[in-house]
Amino acid sequence: MNDVISKEHVFSHTIDKVWNAISKAEEISAWFIQADFKAEKGYKYTFTAEPNEKGCTIISGEVKNANPYELVYTWIVGDTKTETTVSWKLESIEDGTKLYLEHSGISNYGGETAVKMFESFNGGWDNCISELSGYLKETVHAG
């Protein structure tokens, strides 16, 4: 089974505007999910979603790395004990910012659960990048 989801996306926005959107609680809460989050190594964060038919409403973890333009944190879904890792890396390019997103360790779920989680996360990250793009275009007015 593939254990790593990798996404790349180019934004026509400055690296600082993209960084703020993925690293500041108030901005994460605006485009993704209600966030108690600080881009500080060791910070134990919680993302809280509105309840829905899919069940999962809380994601928690710990920030492992928060250097300028690189953010890494563990990702624990709901009441599971399974830990995966999410990494965001930003690169300034001529016309904006290139984002690299990686979600790894999905095989930690084991068996069929890992396959289902991989499929869920893969689609979820596509939606996430789409929402981030919309937020940057409409709310931040960055391009």
Side-chain angles (χ1 to χ4, degrees), residues 9-14 17-18 21 27 31 129-143:
H9 189 81
V10 174
F11 296 96
S12 60
H13 315 290
T14 66
K17 289 189 181 195
V18 178
E27 293 199 41
W31 65 268
I129 290 170
S130 178
E131 291 294 321
L132 174 58
S133 183
Y135 170 76
L136 288 167
K137 286 177 184 172
E138 296 167 21
T139 308
V140 178
H141 306 292

Side-chain angles (χ1 to χ4, degrees), residues 86-129:
V86 173
S87 302
W88 302 81
K89 292 180 184 170
L90 303 178
E91 175 186 344
S92 189
I93 58 174
E94 186 175 332
D95 294 326
T97 303
K98 189 167 190 177
L99 175 141
Y100 302 91
L101 171 68
E102 184 176 284
H103 191 162
S104 61
I106 300 165
S107 65
N108 292 345
Y109 283 98
E112 286 301 310
T113 301
V115 173
K116 289 177 184 169
M117 294 305 278
F118 185 91
E119 291 170 0
S120 175
F121 290 147
N122 192 42
W125 288 119
D126 286 338
N127 291 338
C128 186
I129 290 170

Side-chain angles (χ1 to χ4, degrees), residues 38-95:
K38 291 183 183 175
E40 297 172 3
K41 186 175 181 176
Y43 190 82
K44 292 183 178 8
Y45 75 88
T46 304
F47 295 153
T48 307
E50 293 297 319
N52 63 32
E53 68 279 354
K54 295 182 182 174
C56 173
T57 58
I58 295 178
I59 298 162
S60 61
E62 181 177 343
V63 176
K64 296 298 187 181
N65 189 14
N67 293 323
Y69 314 128
E70 183 177 349
L71 180 61
V72 179
Y73 46 84
T74 59
W75 181 272
I76 301 169
V77 175
D79 59 1
T80 73
K81 302 281 187 242
T82 305
E83 184 176 283
T84 59
T85 302
V86 173
S87 302
W88 302 81
K89 292 180 184 170
L90 303 178
E91 175 186 344
S92 189
I93 58 174
E94 186 175 332
D95 294 326

